Amino acid sequence: MEQKRPLVWLSADSGENTVPSSLTSQWAIVPVDINTQSLAILPHWRGLAVGVCVVADLELAGLPLFAPWLEALPVSSWLALVRRDQLQHPAVRQLIREFCQDYHTLPIAPYRLSDSLGHMWGMSKLTEALASSDHASDYQQYALEGPSSAIRMARSLVRKFSITNEPLLIYGASGTGKEAAARFAHEHSDRRTQVLVNVNCAALPASLTQSELFGHERGAFTHALNKRMGRIAAADGGTLVLTGADELSLEQQSAILRFLQDGIIEPVGASRPIKVNVRIIATCSVPLEQRVEQGLFRSDVFYRLGNLSVTLPTLKERLEDIPLLARRALDACDGSHYQIGSDTLVALARHSWPGNLRELQNRIRQAVLMTKSLHITPEDLGLEPTGAPAQPDRFTLEAFRARAEEQAISTSLSLTHQNVSAAARLLKISRVSFYRLLEKHNLQLPSSINLNPGRGQGD
């Protein structure tokens, strides 16, 4: 018997009694009640899932409760179930625009609702199949997935910035999923039905930059036997991703300045310029501000790229995502029948992950080849066993409390311009207790605290 497809039913009502019977016969319903369940403990299912978010049962004031769930749940496509009068509210329209691929107004029309969900499922399967054909970058398929606050915040920013046509800068260390974020921004934009063109800036020879990007006419130079369309013209109407834009030379930056400023290109050997409509997404491993300060990046090019920016977290900044990411990495290399126990997950969390998701993918692939059983061990992954305390105190309750206290100190001081009295009031503790926390964690106040004694420094 064929297994039912998972359908997440997100609502403010417990149980499955609100799900139409016409769906329960076709789908494996996963009910999620936003009032009783916690984001810290997300429901799990195997494989691809689509979802229905029942906005119809909510008052307008309760609408913000949905967004964190829509962001966190690993659902490929959402359908909003709304009352017709709710569509008059901008907040409802914004929620649908940001998170949903379709919506359905009450009363429920069973066949129309079933058709919409089936179409969403089919499109998600098609997208998944296309993505999985690129075996060299499997981790890009799931790089933005996970319940951690770090990846949810980055994913939310990318989603918000996808609506505009402004240039977008995506920062992140190697292996954090910058390509996935660029693709996510394109797929959630108004240009998603248009082409997505990638340009690997690191592999773009300076001498061929104009020909590659702008194209050339026949006979424009030696060996130019035919007219050739450039990468920018190929992206007309869609999105152009400049991968590794921080590696562009100053000469290459000068070549693209007019295009970035006016949307105009001039093919080599052409007699007239061409106007193009392209949305720019640039990915960088090094902050462009830093490259500008070093004299390695033109400030005028940076300002035309840097209107909006997102920084992807490293893997060690999103440890809560490791169980899901490890499972997704196993599924991507045909290892779905292997199991990862709690000891192995702890070993994964203890590792420093300098290579981020790319390293996780490689270690998982290594484990599938090396393991002698269906249970993957730390040794299979090339990691220290959990009995070897590489970082013995990192996951104790005391260690978590210490990190929370340090973050509270840092945040409160930042919000109060380094005013200890105000920071203590913000944390609802005395100044004496605040100084004890500083001493406990061996922290010192920034020297700027005494620079302006006349500006309300109460200490």
Side-chain angles (χ1 to χ4, degrees), residues 186-393:
H186 171 74
E187 291 174 351
H188 288 79
S189 73
D190 293 334
R191 299 171 181 260
R192 56 185 171 272
T193 59
Q194 303 300 318
V195 67
L196 174 70
V197 175
N198 281 279
V199 175
N200 184 355
C201 297
L204 188 63
S207 59
L208 297 179
T209 298
Q210 296 194 47
S211 175
E212 284 291 319
L213 296 183
F214 306 145
H216 60 254
E217 296 292 323
R218 179 181 178 182
F221 51 85
T222 306
H223 304 305
L225 302 180
N226 296 294
K227 181 178 179 179
R228 183 178 184 276
M229 178 184 288
R231 307 300 294 278
I232 295 175
D236 192 19
T239 304
L240 179 73
V241 179
L242 299 175
T243 303
D246 50 324
E247 299 193 46
L248 287 170
S249 68
L250 291 171
E251 180 185 354
Q252 291 171 312
Q253 296 165 38
S254 300
I256 65 173
L257 180 60
R258 188 186 183 195
F259 158 64
L260 295 176
Q261 179 173 307
D262 302 321
I264 291 175
I265 61 173
E266 190 165 341
V268 179
S271 58
R272 63 181 61 183
I274 301 172
K275 183 76 173 177
V276 291
N277 176 17
V278 176
R279 199 271 172 96
I280 301 295
I281 298 177
T283 70
C284 306
S285 298
V286 179
L288 290 187
E289 297 97 327
Q290 180 180 327
R291 302 281 288 177
V292 170
E293 291 173 0
Q294 295 170 341
L296 300 175
F297 208 90
R298 293 180 54 134
S299 59
D300 49 2
V301 174
F302 164 62
Y303 291 129
R304 285 163 178 78
L305 289 175
N307 297 333
L308 306 171
S309 66
V310 178
T311 300
L312 298 182
T314 61
L315 186 52
K316 65 182 179 182
E317 292 173 319
R318 46 183 297 205
L319 296 179
E320 310 96 299
D321 299 333
I322 283 182
L324 181 145
L325 295 173
R327 173 49 57 188
R328 295 285 277 117
L330 274 175
D331 293 342
C333 63
D334 297 324
S336 58
H337 51 292
Y338 290 98
Q339 301 298 319
I340 300 178
S342 57
D343 287 349
T344 304
L345 288 175
V346 171
L348 286 168
R350 281 180 171 168
H351 185 58
S352 60
W353 296 112
N356 295 296
L357 293 172
R358 184 180 289 111
E359 181 185 355
L360 175 64
Q361 170 189 273
N362 292 341
R363 287 184 181 273
I364 291 292
R365 287 177 173 174
Q366 169 189 313
V368 170
L369 294 174
M370 297 294 293
T371 187
K372 297 178 180 179
S373 71
L374 292 179
H375 294 274
I376 292 177
T377 66
E379 291 82 359
D380 296 328
L381 293 159
L383 301 174
E384 292 288 338
T386 54
Q391 299 176 8
D393 298 324

Side-chain angles (χ1 to χ4, degrees), residues 121-184:
W121 172 270
M123 290 302 296
S124 296
K125 290 292 288 183
L126 179 62
T127 302
E128 184 184 51
L130 288 172
S132 63
S133 64
D134 184 7
H135 296 294
S137 58
D138 287 337
Y139 75 92
Q140 298 286 354
Q141 299 177 44
Y142 50 83
L144 299 186
E145 295 181 16
S148 71
S149 59
I151 197 60
R152 282 194 287 122
M153 183 178 298
R155 197 166 57 225
S156 178
L157 280 175
V158 176
R159 191 189 299 274
K160 284 179 170 58
F161 293 157
S162 67
I163 298 175
T164 179
N165 285 320
E166 292 292 314
L168 173 61
L169 272 172
I170 299 174
Y171 292 115
S174 177
T176 51
K178 297 186 290 294
E179 178 187 325
R183 188 173 64 245
F184 184 92

